[in-house]
Amino acid sequence: MGTDIAGDGEPSSPPPLPVPDGLDDNGFPLPSSPTAATAATSFADDFYRSGTDWSSLLAAPSPPPSSEESGKNKSGDSLVQRSLFQAWGIDRRPRREEEVAGVAGGAGAGASSAPSGSWPGRKRRRGGEVEAAADRKPLACPFYKKIPGTPFTVDAFRYGAVEGCNAYFLSHFHHDHYGGLTKKWCHGPIYCTALTARLVKMCLSVNPEYICPLELDKEYVIEGVSVTLLEANHCPGAALIHFRLGDGKKYLHTGDFRASKSMQLYPLLQRGQINLLYLDTTYCNPKYKFPPKEDVIDFAVRTAKRYLQKEPKTLIVVGAYSIGKENVYLAISKALQVPIYTDASRRRILHAFGWSDLSKMICSDSQSSSLHVLPLSSLRHENLQKYLETLKQRFLAVLAFRPTGWTFSEETGNQLDLIKPSSRGKITIYGVPYSEHSSFSELREFVMFLRPQKVIPTVNVGNAASRDKMQAHFREWLKGL
DNA sequence: GCGATCAGAT
DNA sequence: CACATCTGATCGC
């Protein structure tokens, strides 16, 4: 964790003498404190899920609290930050048990798997019983989605109105990040890239007046804070979000991203400039190794060519979720000079990217294309067998690619040619390590280059062991600062 | 009927 | 494994 060498703030070694209200002298929640058991448990759990030691934030001049002050104090005057709960807009009054249970049980997966919640008036089914829950409040927004000293949140749409939040940032258009954005949205402006804004307008029924597109690489002043979106190298439209506060503090929220060498050229990401880094830690474990995207694409293209040579009537299939992985099939399309077929709903979305390179390859006739894009979930042998049946007039075999980040670790990680497909009859499926999240070594290089004062992991923070491991990595990477 | 949400599956 | 849905059931309007 940042510059801190172990210390009392570590979740694994709580202070020996907890103060009565479950907070330490600095207003930190105390993990596993007997006195905090009932009242502050959910807060403490939530807090320590971030796996972060906050002492340097306290030591430094602090941003103004956003909840009590309604985020209107933009002067940059250093208020003394007595309670991080206040600074983060977290209400530390005790909650009813059902809420505590909801938070404790659901908040585990971090930014990319936000906790689910119950809303006022909803009923929840438990063990066959229907439990009335008329007065249950929406789940609280986890603190790691709030940007301290600002009235901002990132990817926090499923918590209703977040106290103190006047501007809601959306890092990219994946469901686990935009979840909660519906036509009922009325809690404030939504800032995102122009591409993400188009997708939100097309696919969700959010009142367009709330949608505020921002250009990449352009500085905007929002609520007195300078904000710049940067290409995140994740899915189309995904952004890193850079905040520069009135007091000079600089925060980077990576959303979901794949760190790359070219990010080291961004003027805003020069060494030592970032005070606080919210990091996509999806693959922050040395077991996750995978090659550069280019190598994987090259492998897929070579493999496709080889199969087509052997059997010219081969249908190439690439699996994909909603958005992301486009370059896998676009590269095949270009290399083989074949159009891309996919269903109408995906065509609509792909065209909305505004990428002419991609748009001009898309076709709407499955018979006239030997390259099809299908939902990842349908890439199974029985499914593809059936699919082939429907196209048997033109195709005799299927070669499918399943792009994913986690399939390949350790052994096969850097040895693409060791990848063995799964074959049954005329169906061949290759899992390929095409990841849109950073590998462990890419994360390490990014963090070591950036040298932030503090790192907040946003994924895999629900488990103490994994949290501690990530902390140890950050400490190692940033030691000697 | 339709949209939203949840648990569970993949 | 963990990603990012997807499915099917339920709930509310």
Side-chain angles (χ1 to χ4, degrees):
Chain A
M1 269 333 334
T3 58
D4 303 290
I5 310 301
D8 294 335
E10 294 287 323
S12 48
S13 52
L17 293 173
V19 294
D21 65 354
L23 304 179
D24 70 15
D25 292 342
N26 293 323
F28 286 5
L30 298 168
S32 319
S33 156
T35 55
T38 49
T41 296
S42 69
F43 301 118
D45 285 356
D46 214 31
F47 189 90
Y48 282 102
R49 269 188 247 284
S50 80
T52 302
D53 177 331
W54 295 95
S55 53
S56 84
L57 274 182
L58 281 177
S62 304
S66 59
S67 60
E68 334 279 299
E69 310 288 331
S70 306
K72 293 300 182 193
N73 187 343
K74 300 164 197 162
S75 66
D77 293 344
S78 300
L79 303 183
V80 176
Q81 191 171 294
R82 290 192 186 81
S83 163
L84 279 168
F85 288 126
Q86 289 170 17
W88 290 84
I90 296 170
D91 184 343
R92 48 167 278 214
R93 285 169 301 174
R95 296 178 187 196
R96 293 187 307 285
E97 254 172 46
E98 45 198 327
E99 280 184 286
V100 171
V103 171
S112 63
S113 178
S116 52
S118 300
W119 294 81
R122 260 189 87 75
K123 287 173 186 169
R124 179 181 286 174
R125 212 198 214 292
R126 271 213 194 103
E129 303 235 342
V130 176
E131 160 199 344
D135 58 353
R136 188 182 284 122
K137 287 180 181 170
L139 205 64
C141 173
F143 77 93
Y144 53 81
K145 289 174 177 266
K146 303 182 183 187
I147 306 301
T150 76
F152 300 158
T153 56
V154 176
D155 298 340
F157 300 99
R158 31 194 346 163
Y159 314 102
V162 175
E163 191 183 354
C165 183
N166 300 333
Y168 295 76
F169 287 82
L170 173 58
S171 67
H172 64 288
F173 194 70
H174 275 157
H175 191 261
D176 48 341
H177 293 258
Y178 67 68
L181 269 185
T182 68
K183 72 163 93 141
K184 295 208 192 91
W185 180 263
C186 60
H187 307 303
I190 302 155
Y191 292 94
C192 57
T193 63
L195 196 159
T196 300
R198 284 199 295 278
L199 295 173
V200 171
K201 285 179 191 169
M202 277 179 57
C203 302
L204 312 176
S205 332
V206 175
N207 180 343
E209 304 212 332
Y210 287 110
I211 304 170
C212 307
L214 304 179
E215 263 180 61
L216 286 176
D217 301 311
K218 183 170 170 180
E219 183 176 299
Y220 295 83
V221 178
I222 300 167
E223 300 275 331
V225 177
S226 294
V227 179
T228 310
L229 303 186
L230 304 167
E231 170 59 44
N233 191 29
H234 182 63
C235 63
L240 312 174
I241 311 174
H242 182 278
F243 302 98
R244 184 163 52 82
L245 279 63
D247 64 2
K249 280 230 158 46
K250 295 168 189 164
Y251 302 157
L252 182 71
H253 195 299
T254 66
D256 279 359
F257 84 130
R258 182 158 183 184
S260 75
K261 203 85 187 165
S262 63
M263 288 175 185
Q264 300 182 8
L265 301 174
Y266 294 167
L268 288 173
L269 303 188
Q270 292 311 294
R271 193 183 294 284
Q273 294 298 296
I274 298 297
N275 299 94
L276 231 192
L277 173 64
Y278 292 77
L279 188 67
D280 166 19
T281 44
T282 299
Y283 295 125
C284 188
N285 181 320
K287 74 180 179 188
Y288 293 117
K289 302 177 183 180
F290 32 79
K293 288 175 175 177
E294 296 72 27
D295 293 8
V296 182
I297 281 173
D298 183 61
F299 171 82
V301 169
R302 281 189 287 111
T303 304
K305 282 182 174 166
R306 197 172 73 240
Y307 273 73
L308 280 169
Q309 217 158 36
K310 211 162 58 180
E311 172 52 82
K313 292 187 171 179
T314 297
L315 173 68
I316 314 288
V317 170
V318 177
Y321 292 125
S322 60
I323 64 170
K325 325 281 186 185
E326 290 76 17
N327 277 325
V328 178
Y329 49 88
L330 184 55
I332 294 173
S333 169
K334 284 178 174 173
L336 305 178
Q337 278 301 303
V338 292
I340 299 162
Y341 167 78
T342 193
D343 66 31
S345 71
R346 192 187 298 270
R347 287 201 300 272
R348 193 166 155 264
I349 288 167
L350 296 184
H351 284 304
F353 295 172
W355 295 356
S356 59
D357 263 25
L358 176 58
S359 280
K360 69 188 181 198
M361 305 306 289
I362 296 171
C363 77
S364 52
D365 174 22
S366 64
Q367 295 287 334
S368 66
S369 168
S370 57
L371 174 59
H372 290 198
V373 180
L374 299 180
L376 212 37
S377 56
S378 66
L379 287 212
R380 277 171 280 152
H381 286 284
E382 321 92 75
N383 262 300
L384 292 175
Q385 184 62 56
K386 272 191 231 160
Y387 196 66
L388 179 57
E389 290 294 325
T390 69
L391 295 163
K392 62 183 173 193
Q393 294 169 28
R394 265 219 57 193
F395 301 105
L396 295 174
V398 172
L399 169 63
F401 294 101
R402 187 176 239 295
T404 156
W406 61 264
T407 310
F408 296 82
S409 51
E410 305 283 10
E411 313 79 33
T412 43
N414 283 317
Q415 308 269 1
L416 280 167
D417 292 320
L418 294 183
I419 299 173
K420 289 284 168 271
S422 155
S423 291
R424 271 197 221 141
K426 294 294 183 187
I427 311 296
T428 303
I429 304 176
Y430 276 85
V432 290
Y434 188 88
S435 174
E436 292 181 331
H437 294 277
S438 314
S439 68
F440 180 78
S441 62
E442 288 163 345
L443 274 181
R444 181 179 52 206
E445 190 185 338
F446 183 77
V447 173
M448 288 182 72
F449 172 80
L450 209 59
R451 288 203 166 279
Q453 286 174 10
K454 201 55 74 179
V455 183
I456 305 176
T458 60
V459 184
N460 297 324
V461 288
N463 165 290
S466 123
R467 216 162 53 216
D468 290 346
K469 278 184 189 170
M470 291 194 289
Q471 287 174 6
H473 291 312
F474 301 150
R475 206 155 43 230
E476 173 68 21
W477 298 344
L478 296 172
K479 74 181 173 192
L481 266 187

